[in-house]
Amino acid sequence: MKSSDLFERAEALMPGGVSSPVRAIKPYPFYVERAAGSHLTTVDGADLVDCCLGYGPLILGHAHPAVREAIGRQLEKGWLYGTPSPLEIDLAELITGDHPGIDMVRFVSSGSEATMAAIRLARGYTGKQDIIKVEGGFHGAHDAVLVKAGSGATTLGLPDSAGVLADVVAHTRQVPYNDPEALETLLAGNDDVAAFILEPIMGNIGPVLPDDDYIADVREITAAYDVLLILDEVITGYRVGIGGAEVLYGVKPDLATFGKIIGGGLPIGAFGGRRDIMELVAPAGPVYQAGTFSGNPVSLAAGSVTLRYLHEHPEIYRRLDDATRAIGEVAADAGRGSFVRIGSAFKHFFRDAPPRNYREVKECDTEAFSRFWKAMLDLGIFLPPSQFETNFLSAAHTGQDIEYIADAYGSCLFA
């Protein structure tokens, strides 16, 4: 059955015919039959080089043998216990060992759940009500963070979705990314802020990179005002290197959130931080958090193998950094727009200069991006179908894949 036929059935059964809005490609999405390495095979018979990779989790590529074997071994032992398992200790030791600022972790089932719990914990620890996020920063689909971008530091939160209570997001303030002065101004006028939650590298509209010293500046400012710093490393965790953005920028958060790569491509999330804060989480303390599928043994097995593989093969990070640099050199020759990269994450923005914040990202020519995206897909390369999503490479992308992607960038940007 073709993708068009499947979508016709799906529209009658699921809102918009999809399970997540970003998958709603017009006039209909393509449906994948199988995936291996760096390639997807659609039900229509197309073979695509994948630069989406499940929106980031698959740093080793699709169906990596080591991960597949770990999943298979665990399936033979069972896939849901409802009890502790040794696997959660193993993965917790890996994560805490890689992150100097993380003493303890709690496993959950998604990045959204991790950020929701981290915000609740920050409020429980500080006794304060408000939180601050960055304009355009994405921290999942729960009420407190579904906030429209405002006009600056003094703007009250407004719901970004029907069904979100204005009273809830009134406690969520926003500041522009790469603007430490705006953060300090807001904190100087509000003594009821529990936490500043921050994507250290803006991934959901990016990558948009921090200015020099920005991460260090916000760490210094939040500490000065007794506000917890939550680094949202759901995307950057193990994507920009072992230890994520915390190690890359040399900044210790009070709390951090993880997802994507730490599950090896299976559903997972985690939040962690300083011991004195984490010990407030139930059953050790009064901040409640629970979940039937938290610490799922199959996800833990896949995640542990993935992280150990990255430890054993550090050259992966160097090779992928070289790969995005090569693609960027071709894109730069086109003289159209701006190419942004960090490690294995990259994006071509249809804007003259690389954006520094959400407002500048919104200046991009989205119609030009749509034409570019379609041209790349016609050449057999699947990029995330939005100007506002990051592209990724994996260890499974071969030199031939990289050369083909780079050549396609050249031809599609010059067209």
Side-chain angles (χ1 to χ4, degrees):
M1 184 171 286
K2 295 182 179 180
S3 290
S4 56
D5 298 324
L6 290 168
F7 186 63
E8 184 176 353
R9 291 171 56 195
E11 281 189 299
L13 300 167
M14 297 179 285
V18 293
S19 295
S20 185
V22 75
R23 302 174 192 174
I25 300 170
K26 300 296 184 182
Y28 55 84
F30 60 83
Y31 283 71
V32 171
E33 183 175 277
R34 61 184 180 276
S38 59
H39 286 244
L40 301 171
T41 302
T42 74
V43 298
D44 308 294
D47 178 71
L48 304 177
V49 180
D50 187 12
C51 294
C52 181
L53 297 166
Y55 293 90
L58 297 167
I59 194 169
L60 301 184
H62 293 280
H64 188 276
V67 180
R68 188 173 63 242
E69 290 169 9
I71 293 171
R73 288 194 300 269
Q74 184 56 46
L75 288 176
E76 292 179 356
K77 301 176 182 179
W79 46 86
L80 181 63
Y81 299 149
T83 71
S85 74
L87 290 162
E88 59 192 342
I89 300 172
D90 292 341
L91 188 55
E93 286 179 339
L94 282 169
I95 293 172
T96 57
D98 290 334
H99 297 83
I102 307 301
D103 298 322
M104 305 179 81
V105 296
R106 166 64 64 86
F107 292 109
V108 292
S109 297
S110 70
S112 289
E113 192 179 350
T115 59
M116 180 174 64
I119 290 170
R120 180 186 301 159
L121 176 57
R123 285 174 165 147
Y125 177 81
T126 63
K128 301 175 184 178
Q129 297 187 80
D130 291 357
I131 62 167
I132 303 173
K133 66 180 288 289
V134 163
E135 292 176 354
F138 184 74
H139 306 290
H142 51 96
D143 288 4
V145 292
L146 282 177
V147 182
K148 289 182 179 178
S151 59
T154 61
T155 302
L156 291 172
L158 296 172
D160 199 26
S161 169
V164 175
L165 299 178
D167 289 350
V168 173
V169 295
H171 291 288
T172 302
R173 304 299 185 100
Q174 296 194 91
V175 293
Y177 187 65
N178 278 325
D179 191 343
E181 293 80 10
L183 175 64
E184 185 156 23
T185 297
L186 177 53
L187 290 176
N190 187 344
D191 60 3
D192 199 25
V193 177
F196 177 40
I197 186 167
L198 171 71
E199 286 183 282
I201 298 165
M202 296 193 75
N204 209 61
I205 59 166
V208 177
L209 307 184
D211 292 344
D212 292 344
D213 299 325
Y214 173 66
I215 307 299
D217 286 345
V218 299
R219 173 67 285 186
E220 183 177 343
I221 292 166
T222 51
Y225 286 91
D226 199 23
V227 169
L228 300 186
L229 175 61
I230 305 173
L231 284 189
D232 183 350
E233 297 236 44
V234 169
I235 291 176
T236 53
Y238 293 94
R239 174 58 67 175
V240 296
I242 302 296
E246 176 187 334
V247 169
L248 180 64
Y249 297 115
V251 172
K252 286 186 181 182
D254 301 296
L255 292 168
T257 59
F258 304 94
K260 296 190 184 287
I261 287 173
I262 69 163
L266 296 186
I268 201 169
F271 63 99
R274 287 178 6 214
R275 185 174 304 277
D276 62 314
I277 303 174
M278 291 298 295
E279 286 182 338
L280 291 184
V281 178
V287 177
Y288 192 72
Q289 187 282 321
T292 298
F293 295 99
S294 296
N296 178 270
V298 184
S299 296
L300 295 170
S304 291
V305 166
T306 298
L307 301 194
R308 292 187 191 283
Y309 193 93
L310 291 170
H311 271 278
E312 294 164 2
H313 299 277
E315 72 279 2
I316 287 173
Y317 291 108
R318 295 191 295 271
R319 186 171 69 82
L320 293 178
D321 185 65
D322 290 342
T324 58
R325 181 178 291 108
I327 297 169
E329 289 171 355
V330 173
D333 289 341
R336 182 186 183 194
S338 53
F339 188 90
V340 178
R341 54 170 291 278
I342 182 165
S344 57
F346 64 106
K347 192 73 176 187
H348 194 84
F349 292 97
F350 285 83
R351 182 182 186 275
D352 289 342
R356 295 179 58 251
N357 54 47
Y358 176 65
R359 298 178 194 186
E360 292 185 358
V361 168
K362 293 289 284 183
E363 295 170 356
C364 292
D365 185 342
T366 55
E367 292 185 2
F369 172 83
S370 294
R371 292 192 295 270
F372 168 73
W373 180 86
K374 180 62 166 59
M376 292 289 283
L377 187 64
D378 288 344
L379 290 178
I381 297 171
F382 175 46
L383 305 176
S386 169
Q387 174 70 93
F388 312 118
E389 292 282 354
T390 297
N391 307 335
F392 299 101
L393 294 179
S394 75
H397 283 81
T398 64
Q400 184 177 2
D401 288 331
I402 303 306
E403 184 176 350
Y404 185 70
I405 294 167
D407 288 345
Y409 261 77
S411 62
C412 293
L413 289 173
F414 278 109

